[in-house]
Structure formats: structure tokens, C-alpha cells
């Protein structure tokens, strides 16, 4: 699904990613953890194609196709979904209308017709039932006055509707309460399928109490310095990152 080789990236002439290697197969959930400033958000931004980050070496392939030169929206149309740490408010545009537009834009980019209204409604009904999202929420203005949990609910709903091949969820930002953590975890667990993959970026071990990742990677100073299974996250929770830094720095 996703294959990253020797990825180096910089922002404002400062090298942040210093040779990342990462293979994510369809059906897998990967967690990326690591101390503040390690480059986790940079990695997710670089995969999604944000402009301010410059790739200076290496490859990013999605299903065997090099996407590293594509614009962010082109990557999105190819099935890369990234959560927004700071979602925009759009007064007057409902959660439902926003997602309808997003789906049809994506279909247009793929040379497809708009989704028939009947199919769209059916899909909205199915996904909102799956995620236990009520009708009232769907008609609210996008992100306007949303609580942390509601922002997450909207994000997971968008993900469910868009059915991305690769979802990257950057959960590094601020204090997510337990309700918001559960919404994210529940969504990821329900949407996990054999033909998609999820990369969860977090420094909350707590999130991984609810999402059991297939692999846990530790990012430190722009490199993945350790990979393990879910038990690695538990060890990090107990012992912090110092032992890893010592291992790396010798
Ligand atoms: P993490 O998400 O692991 O906490 P980040 O990827 O946010 O780490 O940041 C890694 C480093 O890159 C930090 O030193 C940060 O200051 C720097 N950095 C990230 N984005 C920018 C930017 N847009 N401009 C300048 N420096 C940045
Ligand atoms: Mg971050």
C-alpha cells in the first residue's frame, strides 16, 4: 500500500526527516510514536503532500506508484486521507453537504459522474449508523462550535465516506479527552479492512489501548529507530523514551 524509502525532507532549509523507511501493507494498522519534535507531524504532512515541506531524497510510493511529486489534492484523489489538526469552520455548510462535495470532487478528478443522490443518501445512512452518528449532527455547520469529540466524529465520518486506501491520523495535538480517543479508536477499528491501511501518529499510549496496531514504530530525530508490536507501546508508556535515546546515541 505505502512504501517509503530513505525519505529525507526539510522545511525552511532545516532537515527534519533523515532517512525514513516504512512499509505499510493493506489491512495493517501502524502506530508511529516518539517524543515531541521527532518529526512525526512532518512525516504525515510529507506523505499527504503539504507544500511547505521539501523532499530532498527518497521515495514515497502508493500501490507501487511514486506520489512524491503530486500535489496534495491529487494524492487525496488517489486515496490518501489525512486528518486535520486544525480543522476549518465553514458556517452555513453542513457536515453532509461538505462530504457530498468532497466525494463528487474526487469522482470528477477520477473522470467519474457525480454520485446519484439516492446512493449518496444510502451511503450517508450506512456510515452514520455504523459510527453511531445521529442525524442532528449531520446537519450542523462544519466544525462550528464543535467540541474536541465532535471534531473527531466529523473526521472519522469523512474517512468512512471517502473510503481512503491510506488514512493518516495525526493525533499529536493537545489534550484529546477520553471521549474523543474512543471515537477515533472505534472508527479506526470499524473501518479497518483488508484493502485499506491506517497510520496513527500519536504520543498517547492510551489511544493504543483501544486500537491494537500491528506495528509500532518509534521516530526519533527524523529516523525510525525502533519497530515492534503493540507491546512496544506499553513499554514506552512505562519507561518513556529515554532508553531508546540511549540505545540510539550509545
Ligand atoms: P512532532 O510531530 O514529532 O512533535 P514535528 O514534525 O512537528 O514533530 O517537528 C519536527 C521539527 O520540525 C521541530 O523541530 C519543528 O520545530 C520543525 N518544524 C516542523 N514544521 C515546521 C515548519 N512549518 N517550519 C519550521 N519548522 C518546522
Ligand atoms: Mg506533531
Amino acid at each position: 500500500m505505502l512504501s517509503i524509502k530513505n525519505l529525507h525532507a526539510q522545511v525552511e532549509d532545516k532537515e527534519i526527516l533523515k532517512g525514513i523507511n516504512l512499509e505499510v501493507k493493506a489491512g495493517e494498522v501502524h502506530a508511529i510514536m516518539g517524543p515531541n519534535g521527532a518529526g512525526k507531524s512532518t512525516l504525515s504532512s510529507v506523505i499527504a503532500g503539504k507544500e511547505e515541506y521539501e523532499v530532498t531524497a527518497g521515495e514515497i510510493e502508493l500501490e507501487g506508484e511514486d506520489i512524491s511529486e503530486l500535489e496534495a489534492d491529487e494524492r487525496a484523489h488517489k486515496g490518501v486521507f489525512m486528518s486535520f489538526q486544525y480543522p476549518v469552520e465553514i458556517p452555513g455548510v453542513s457536515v453532509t453537504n461538505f462530504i457530498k462535495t468532497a466525494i463528487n470532487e474526487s469522482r470528477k478528478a477520477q473522470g467519474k459522474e457525480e454520485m446519484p443522490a439516492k446512493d449518496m443518501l444510502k451511503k450517508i445512512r450506512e456510515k452514520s449508523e455504523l459510527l453511531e452518528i445521529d442525524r442532528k449532527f449531520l446537519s450542523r455547520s462544519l466544525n462550528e462550535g464543535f467540541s474536541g469529540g465532535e471534531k473527531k466524529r466529523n473526521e472519522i465520518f469523512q474517512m468512512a465516506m471517502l473510503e481512503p486506501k491510506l488514512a493518516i491520523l495525526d493525533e499529536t495535538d493537545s489534550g484529546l479527552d477520553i471521549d474523543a480517543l474512543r471515537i477515533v479508536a472505534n472508527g479506526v477499528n470499524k473501518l479497518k479492512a483488508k484493502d485499506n491501511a491506517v497510520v496513527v501518529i500519536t504520543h498517547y499510549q492510551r489511544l493504543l489501548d483501544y486500537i491494537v496496531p500491528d506495528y509500532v514504530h518509534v521516530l526519533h530525530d527524523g529516523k525510525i529507530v525502533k519497530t515492534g508490536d503493540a507491546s512496544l507501546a506499553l513499554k514506552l508508556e512505562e519507561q518513556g523514551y529515554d532508553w531508546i535515546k540511549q540505545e540510539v546515541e550509545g
Side-chain angles (χ1 to χ4, degrees):
M1 184 64 73
L2 176 71
S3 172
I4 294 179
K5 293 194 187 95
N6 189 35
L7 181 67
H8 290 251
Q10 61 182 37
V11 58
E12 291 170 359
D13 293 332
K14 185 178 158 205
E15 185 171 54
I16 313 284
L17 302 183
K18 303 176 180 173
I20 302 268
N21 293 295
L22 180 65
E23 296 286 329
V24 178
K25 297 201 179 74
E28 292 178 347
V29 176
H30 289 235
I32 297 181
M33 304 184 77
N36 270 332
K40 303 183 298 296
S41 296
T42 301
L43 177 60
S44 60
S45 300
V46 169
I47 298 170
K50 279 208 197 152
E51 276 170 22
E52 60 265 41
Y53 299 89
E54 191 194 345
V55 172
T56 51
E59 289 165 20
I60 308 172
E61 289 184 353
L62 184 74
E63 294 187 308
E65 182 192 355
D66 187 352
I67 58 165
S68 59
E69 298 293 321
L70 300 181
E71 300 293 329
D73 61 337
E74 295 172 307
R75 297 185 202 198
H77 296 146
K78 287 195 183 291
V80 178
F81 174 91
M82 190 184 156
S83 65
F84 303 99
Q85 266 186 297
Y86 306 101
V88 283
E89 290 185 12
I90 314 184
V93 174
S94 67
V95 168
T96 318
N97 280 330
F98 182 82
I99 196 64
K100 280 182 189 168
T101 306
I103 285 181
N104 281 327
E105 295 258 304
S106 171
R107 290 172 69 97
K108 201 163 132 196
Q110 293 162 7
K112 293 187 197 158
E113 304 263 296
E114 285 200 352
M115 185 180 282
K118 187 164 79 49
D119 296 356
M120 185 72 82
L121 281 175
K122 183 162 170 266
K123 188 165 179 159
I124 290 171
R125 199 175 320 119
E126 276 171 16
K127 300 297 183 183
S128 56
E129 276 170 17
L130 176 72
L131 299 170
E132 295 164 42
I133 292 173
D134 71 42
R135 308 226 131 234
K136 244 197 250 148
F137 180 76
L138 296 177
S139 57
R140 283 183 60 186
S141 273
L142 194 76
N143 289 317
E144 203 181 9
F146 278 15
S147 68
E150 287 165 343
K151 284 180 185 157
K152 289 290 140 189
R153 187 165 284 138
N154 175 49
E155 193 175 288
I156 293 296
F157 177 63
Q158 288 181 5
M159 180 174 140
M161 290 293 293
L162 289 166
E163 301 180 320
K165 289 176 191 157
L166 173 70
I168 306 162
L169 306 175
D170 190 343
E171 301 303 340
T172 50
D173 186 37
S174 69
L176 281 186
D177 60 22
I178 206 80
D179 180 40
L181 285 179
R182 282 212 184 101
I183 290 164
V184 172
N186 190 28
V188 168
N189 291 332
K190 281 186 173 164
L191 299 172
K192 179 178 166 169
K194 62 180 186 322
D195 58 355
N196 66 26
V198 184
V199 176
V200 185
I201 297 179
T202 185
H203 54 204
Y204 292 107
Q205 199 280 327
R206 266 198 314 176
L207 180 62
L208 304 180
D209 289 341
Y210 304 104
I211 301 175
V212 180
D214 299 294
Y215 295 95
V216 173
H217 309 278
V218 180
L219 191 63
H220 170 67
D221 193 21
K223 283 188 194 141
I224 290 175
V225 294
K226 202 160 195 75
T227 293
D229 59 15
S231 67
L232 177 57
L234 286 173
K235 190 169 176 193
L236 293 168
E237 170 82 345
E238 282 165 14
Q239 303 182 15
Y241 292 107
D242 284 350
W243 63 279
I244 287 188
K245 288 183 192 168
Q246 276 162 16
E247 263 185 33
V248 175
E249 283 153 18

